[in-house]
Amino acid sequence: MLTKKIEDALNIQVNNEMYSAYLYMSMSSHAANAGLKGFANWFMVQYHEEMLHAMKMFEYIQRKGGKPVLYTIKEPPAVFDSALDMFEKTLVHEQFITKCINDLTDLAIEERDHATQIFLQWYVTEQIEEEENDNDIIAQLKLIKNDVQALLMLDRELAGRMTTVLTDFSKGIEGVTPSVQP
Ligand SMILES: [Fe+2]
Ligand SMILES: [Fe+2]
């Protein structure tokens, strides 16, 4: 069983993950509209990852006898200054998510909830990768500056990112092999 404190905190994190998905979907829309289809693809792949993060937590709450509660998802920004602006905002947001996961882990330790601590380890590791990816792309965008040709080359590279996570949640997540989308 989950304590009320843990259940409430996990439900808030489901909402944070859903907002992450929404934010990256918005960035995908903006990038596509700006003619950067590769960036649009990268952000849409990220959208799928965030939906998986949300679903994984939703399912965990259920498996522990709790009840997932769905809160209003905040409206994300719709306009961005540049590709660099999108990635800098992505990094700031991911740093916020890392803090949320750390706070959740602290709470699980306080509540002596070992199962939730172990469950959250997956997210702790995931956040290292998320921040690393953003930092790498920010570094490249800073080198590119106003070089349109170099930007289009990066765009082509980002077009190659593929979804490696499960995208069909109709059968749940546990025990299902992730499908790789073409
Ligand atoms: Fe996430
Ligand atoms: Fe994320």
Side-chain angles (χ1 to χ4, degrees):
M1 279 293 283
L2 298 169
T3 64
K4 177 90 178 99
K5 262 191 188 172
I6 295 273
E7 187 176 343
D8 289 350
L10 288 172
N11 269 318
I12 289 169
Q13 191 56 27
V14 170
N15 185 266
N16 287 336
E17 299 292 346
M18 296 290 286
Y19 175 76
S20 305
Y22 224 38
L23 175 64
Y24 301 141
M25 201 183 196
S26 179
M27 288 181 180
S28 180
S29 164
H30 181 85
N33 206 250
L36 296 169
K37 293 259 173 77
F39 282 88
N41 172 66
W42 193 95
F43 282 112
M44 202 52 93
V45 169
Q46 199 56 33
Y47 154 83
H48 284 298
E49 293 224 347
E50 300 300 348
M51 289 303 288
L52 178 90
H53 299 170
M55 281 305 298
K56 213 175 158 70
M57 207 162 275
F58 179 100
E59 212 168 71
Y60 177 74
I61 297 167
Q62 272 180 335
R63 291 181 71 205
K64 292 289 288 175
K67 186 186 178 194
V69 180
L70 301 179
Y71 302 117
T72 305
I73 304 167
K74 196 170 64 181
E75 184 180 322
V79 178
F80 303 91
D81 295 339
S82 61
L84 180 61
D85 182 42
M86 285 193 282
F87 273 94
E88 281 177 340
K89 285 186 172 134
T90 297
L91 179 62
V92 168
H93 180 65
E94 288 302 329
Q95 286 166 340
F96 163 71
I97 295 291
T98 301
K99 191 191 173 300
C100 293
I101 298 294
N102 289 343
D103 290 348
L104 255 172
T105 307
D106 286 344
L107 183 66
I109 291 167
E110 257 169 54
E111 300 281 294
R112 303 180 59 80
D113 182 343
H114 298 286
T116 300
Q117 275 178 61
I118 292 168
F119 171 72
L120 289 170
Q121 274 173 19
W122 184 87
Y123 289 84
V124 172
T125 311
E126 183 71 12
Q127 284 310 114
I128 299 171
E129 196 189 310
E130 299 260 285
E131 288 188 31
E132 187 185 11
N133 288 342
D134 300 335
N135 275 317
D136 286 351
I137 297 173
I138 286 170
Q140 290 185 54
L141 285 169
K142 282 184 175 167
L143 286 173
I144 286 171
K145 281 193 188 114
N146 295 323
D147 183 342
V148 176
Q149 214 159 354
L151 182 70
L152 291 177
M153 268 176 68
L154 179 60
D155 188 64
R156 234 170 289 152
E157 189 190 316
L158 298 184
R161 186 184 184 195
M162 286 195 293
T163 299
T164 55
V165 299
L166 181 72
T167 55
D168 175 7
F169 304 125
S170 61
K171 307 276 187 296
I173 291 172
E174 287 297 322
V176 181
T177 316
S179 59
V180 179
Q181 299 283 312

